[in-house]
Each structure stands twice: as structure tokens, then as C-alpha cells.
């Protein structure tokens, strides 16, 4: 089995680590614009050897795991290069622009649009970890546009990594993910900014911040190179989500300014049901 | 050794669990308005037996771990009741109103104002866990107002639980903690609200939300009864922090609306230094 990974970071790297565990006979080929990432991935054993686009004709699987702006450019070239039996998938956090970019490609049926909802705030080959996808959701868009045989091959792989499959159209994906992922990142980045701006003497933050602060700003460690194009591609939904979030914060501030503590209590109590929602996520 | 805990939840309960480990001969007495909490704490072995304010005269330590609005009422009564050698401390998330409430009490020197920066999003006696305070910071306010002998007794106890001690005046404490704790809670509650309001069909949240969302909304599970009075007592600082946070979010939204992706990249990159700040916290 020949598996190519284009862009060897957290997601692509973790995927091929699992594939290698599941299929020890597989050869993992790496393609990365960043020479030092490629060398690091080989040194870490994440990838067996370097490859080029000319090698893609022989590939069984091609995983495209690059920032979503790069994916728009790379994906058509990948499809140009692959063979008849190659299945290509991309793993980014926006789906509408990706699906549009290859909608009319002659090899559209060799492609399956996916978004594995898994990750950490780290990036690069050293961020790759085994079993990252166990119990996680993989959202598949426009499944009907992929050749049935290759569809099955991809789904078998995802299931063998422990992923649950959910089908969704790209626009619904982008709309929902703006709320449950993209907005969390902006909330976290701007919270980090607010505190850093305020606390010029950083030692005060170190000493007074607890695990709560750490939890809410964890995502502010995320890669700007990865996230800037996500916000760009999902701009409309992200702006809408941000407007609603800002409006809720302003409302909370006004309740506080008006000393309406009963309303503040009720606001928090009604959001407490997030407990059950988060518990549901763990099932 | 006689240790009384008034309000047996996450913080008070965890404290006495550690005290019992460190001093197996100690008797832990519990006082709680909530009869079922008291019974639960005894059943869980967090507390040895129930007590009343009449018993406080004989106490070595009295831990007041109640919501901060209740603390304002309870603390003077506790000081009225304690003996000459009793050290009383309170563990809430605001310090100015607490210190003011007992500033002129005849037994002010039996009191030490503390804020152990430790906790989880859970509450009640069943939330009590051992070693919660290991490696955490305990902020002590107005240390000079406590009798030296009792000061030493309290500090020895905190250090034996593994806490680092930091001294701060109550106003500075309340100002900084608004940013590194209170703001995180509001950010998390309002993010939870925004997503819940949007996603009426909750299954969509379960399936699409990943660990990032979970991390940013974790604090939205917190107790409204505990947090409403904190926001009330620290209103001025919290409103200020919220204004800055909202202003940063609006700025980010405007950058997005204006397609200024270079500025968005730079914003995120400059906040990335939170990595080093968070790593510093772990030391």
C-alpha cells in the first residue's frame, strides 16, 4: 500500500502514524514545501521517504493536509497527477471553497471531502500523535460525488482509525463549524490578547492564572498560518457568529452595569446545560 | 488538632482532605447550611462530624469556603465565635469586600485573607479531591494585619499542601484576577450561550464539536451561585475587562470584514506568546 501525505503536520502526520500501525506493510511517502519539516518527519519515523507529484500516479491514498488556502491550489494539481485507483482526501476546517475548487475537475470522483474533528493546539511533524482520531467524528461532504469503490476504501480507512462518520453538505458544515470551532479560536485569541495587553508584567499572569485561564486560552497557541485562511474562507459565517457572541457579551456587561444579578444568575444557569452537551460528546 | 470547614464544597472539601492526610490525628468538623451537603460530606469521609458556631471557640483552624456574598455575612459571626488561638481564613475569588467586611472587627488579627488559585468547574462535597493545591499559588492579602503567630501557622499549613505564597494588596488582587479568571468565565459562559442559541438541535453540537470547543466552554459548567456574587463584588474591574475584551473582538471582526488578513495573522501571531506564559505557569 502506498500512502502519500502532502503537508506533514499534526493531522497528516497523525493519520499516517495510524495507517502505519494498521498496515505495517504500507510505505508512507511525504511531500512538503518545508524541507526541514520533511526531514524532521523522516527522522521521527512519521514518513518513510520523500516523494514528488510524479509519484502520485502509483498512490493508493493521498492525504492533503495543508492550510486551506494552499489546499485550493494544491488539490487540482494532485488530482491531475493521481492514477485511476487513487483516492485523495483533504482534511481542512472549511469545505465549501475546497469542494468548489475541484467541482469540475475531470478526476472529481477520485476525491472525498473530509473534516476529521480532531487535533491539538500544536503544529508541525513533531505534533503528530498516534490514535488522535479514536472516537472522533469525521465529517464527509458530497459523498455521492466520489466513485463508490474509492468511497468505500476511504471510509474503511477512517473507521479503522476509530472515527465516526457523519455526512453533511459543505455549506452546513461551514455554518456549524463556525460556531463550534472557529468562534472558539477567536474567543481564545482575543482573551489572550486582552490579558497580555493588560498584564505587561507577565509574572503577574504566571502567578495568578489558574487552570481555568489556561483552558480558555489554550487555542490561542494555534498556528496563525493555518487559521488565517480558515477565517478568510469562512468569513461570512465567522463574522455572523462573532456578531452574536459580541452581542451576548455586551448584554452580560449591561446586566452587570445595571446590577441585575438575578438575570446574570439565570443567564449562567441556562448555559450550564453545556454540561450535558459536553458529556454527550464523550459518548 | 480541630479544623472547622464552613461550606463544604470543592475548595473547603479539598483543603480538609489534604489536612486529614497531613495530620491524621486532626478532627474535621463541618458546618453547612445545606443539610444534604453536610450529610454527603460525612458519608464521603471529607468531614468527621457536624458542628455549630458554638464549637468554634475550641477550633485551631476555621476555613470559610462559601460563596463570596455569604462570606461577607458569615465571617464577622465566625470571628465573634472563635477563640484566641484560632486562625480563620476565607478562600473566595474577591478580596477587597471581604477585607473591608472585617476590617474593624475586634478579632481581625485572627483572620488571614487568602485566595488559593485552584479548582475545577465542579462544586459540592463530591467535587473535593486530594492534592488540588499542589504546585498552585495562594495569594495572601494584608498579611501584616494577622497576628504573627497565627500567620505562621496558616502559612505552614498552606506550604505543607504544596502551595506557593504570593503577597498582594486586596485591590491589586481584585484587579488582576478580573483579567485572568473572572473574564475567562464570562468568555466561556457567553460562548456556550452563543453556540447553544444557534444550535437548537443539540446533536449537531455533539457531533461537530471537538476538544477545542470543550476547552473554551469548560468554565461554563461553573456554579452560578458561586459566580454571581463574585461578578457583583468585582463589578468595576470585570466591566472594565469586558469592555477591553469586547473591543478586541470588534476589532478582529472589522479586520475580517475589511479582508485585512495580514493584520489578522499578526494579531494571532502576537498572541501566540501565550505559549511561553502558559509554560511559565507550569513551573
Amino acid at each position: 500500500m502506498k500512502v502519500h501525505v502532502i503537508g506533514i503536520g499534526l493531522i497528516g502526520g497523525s493519520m499516517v502514524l495510524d495507517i502505519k500501525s494498521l498496515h505495517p506493510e504500507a510505505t508512507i511517502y511525504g511531500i512538503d514545501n518545508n524541507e526541514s519539516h520533511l526531514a524532521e518527519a523522516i527522522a521521527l519515523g512519521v514518513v518513510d521517504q520523500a516523494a514528488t507529484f510524479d509519484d502520485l500516479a502509483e498512490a493508493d491514498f493521498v492525504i492533503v493536509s495543508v492550510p486551506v488556502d494552499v489546499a485550493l491550489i494544491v488539490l487540482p494539481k494532485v488530482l491531475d497527477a493521481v492514477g485511476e485507483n487513487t483516492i485523495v482526501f483533504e482534511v481542512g476546517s472549511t469545505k465549501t471553497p475546497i469542494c468548489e475548487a475541484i467541482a469540475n475537475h475531470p478526476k472529481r470522483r477520485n476525491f472525498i471531502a473530509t473534516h476529521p474533528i480532531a487535533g491539538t493546539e500544536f503544529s508541525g511533524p513533531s505534533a503528530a500523535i498516534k490514535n488522535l482520531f479514536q472516537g472522533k467524528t469525521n465529517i464527509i461532504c458530497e459523498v455521492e460525488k466520489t466513485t463508490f469503490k474509492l468511497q468505500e476504501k476511504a471510509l474503511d480507512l477512517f473507521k479503522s482509525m476509530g472515527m465516526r462518520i457523519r455526512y453533511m453538505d459543505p455549506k452546513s458544515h461551514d455554518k456549524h463549524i463556525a460556531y463550534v470551532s472557529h468562534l472558539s479560536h477567536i474567543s481564545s485569541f482575543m482573551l489572550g490578547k486582552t490579558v497580555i495587553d493588560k498584564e505587561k508584567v507577565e509574572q503577574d499572569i504566571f502567578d495568578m492564572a489558574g487552570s481555568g485561564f489556561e483552558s480558555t486560552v489554550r487555542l490561542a497557541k494555534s498556528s496563525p498560518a493555518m487559521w488565517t485562511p480558515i477565517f478568510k474562507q469562512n468569513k461570512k459565517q465567522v463574522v455572523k457568529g462573532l456578531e452574536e457572541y459580541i452581542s451576548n457579551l455586551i448584554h452580560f456587561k449591561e446586566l452587570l452595569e445595571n446590577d441585575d444579578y438575578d438575570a446574570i444568575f439565570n443567564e449562567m444557569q441556562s448555559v450550564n446545560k453545556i454540561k450535558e452537551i459536553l458529556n454527550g460528546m464523550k459518548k
Side-chain angles (χ1 to χ4, degrees), chain A:
Chain A
M1 193 161 95
K2 294 181 176 180
V3 179
H4 287 251
V5 53
I6 303 180
I8 312 153
L10 168 68
I11 299 296
S14 297
M15 282 217 158
V16 292
L17 283 178
D18 281 357
I19 292 173
K20 194 77 182 177
S21 287
L22 293 161
H23 306 278
E25 81 292 356
T27 305
I28 312 294
Y29 299 89
I31 298 179
D32 204 309
N33 268 343
N34 184 325
E35 290 289 337
S36 73
H37 269 191
L38 188 55
E40 192 186 351
I42 293 171
L44 288 167
V46 174
V47 155
D48 294 318
Q49 58 186 86
T52 69
F53 274 51
D54 293 336
D55 304 313
L56 295 179
E58 302 296 319
D60 293 293
F61 289 93
V62 181
I63 304 167
V64 179
S65 42
V66 295
V68 294
D69 54 340
V70 181
L72 296 182
I73 300 158
V74 161
L75 254 187
K77 292 180 187 168
V78 170
L79 286 176
D80 289 346
V82 297
E84 201 183 321
N85 295 313
T86 308
I87 175 80
V88 178
F89 58 92
E90 186 274 339
V91 296
S93 192
T94 54
K95 292 273 79 63
T96 308
I98 304 289
C99 287
E100 282 170 0
I102 46 77
N104 301 312
H105 194 285
K107 292 197 191 131
R108 171 63 184 87
R109 297 184 71 75
N110 289 69
F111 174 72
I112 188 161
T114 73
H115 181 194
I117 314 277
T120 68
E121 66 277 27
F122 305 112
S123 47
S126 63
I129 48 176
K130 279 188 190 171
N131 293 318
L132 177 63
F133 306 99
Q134 192 66 47
K136 304 293 165 57
T137 299
N138 195 5
I139 297 174
I140 310 276
C141 295
E142 302 187 332
V143 68
E144 69 288 352
K145 297 195 177 171
T146 308
T147 303
F148 183 72
K149 196 180 61 181
L150 295 178
Q151 212 183 94
E152 204 171 24
K153 201 167 138 183
L155 293 176
D156 283 349
L157 184 74
F158 300 144
K159 285 175 193 165
S160 71
M161 288 178 186
M163 287 194 268
R164 302 182 305 176
I165 308 297
R166 292 290 180 271
Y167 300 97
M168 205 172 261
D169 67 278
K171 284 199 194 309
S172 298
H173 168 276
D174 290 1
K175 183 179 137 188
H176 291 300
I177 208 74
Y179 285 83
V180 296
S181 166
H182 303 174
L183 196 53
S184 286
H185 282 79
I186 298 173
S187 150
S188 196
F189 268 108
M190 290 303 101
L191 185 65
K193 179 185 162 82
T194 307
V195 176
I196 289 172
D197 285 355
K198 187 69 187 179
E199 306 284 348
K200 301 292 179 194
V201 185
E202 288 180 6
Q203 196 58 36
D204 287 343
I205 311 183
F206 303 164
D207 283 354
M208 297 192 68
S211 55
F213 177 69
E214 191 164 5
S215 179
T216 41
V217 297
R218 182 171 69 85
L219 298 179
K221 300 185 217 169
S222 304
S223 155
M226 179 178 152
W227 280 95
T228 304
I230 292 173
F231 297 141
K232 180 178 179 180
Q233 290 188 11
N234 207 20
K235 172 182 166 179
K236 198 177 142 193
Q237 297 296 341
V238 172
V239 166
K240 199 155 170 283
L242 260 175
E243 275 168 357
E244 289 162 22
Y245 181 49
I246 291 166
S247 149
N248 282 326
L249 286 164
I250 290 172
H251 178 65
F252 191 96
K253 182 172 78 77
E254 286 168 354
L255 291 177
L256 197 49
E257 285 168 330
N258 297 330
D259 297 310
D260 192 348
Y261 300 107
D262 288 344
I264 285 175
F265 183 96
N266 292 337
E267 283 273 294
M268 289 195 279
Q269 194 173 46
S270 80
V271 183
N272 269 172
K273 74 176 172 202
I274 205 89
K275 275 179 210 169
E276 285 74 49
I277 295 175
L278 293 173
N279 283 341
M281 277 170 58
K282 286 180 190 145
K283 275 171 199 155

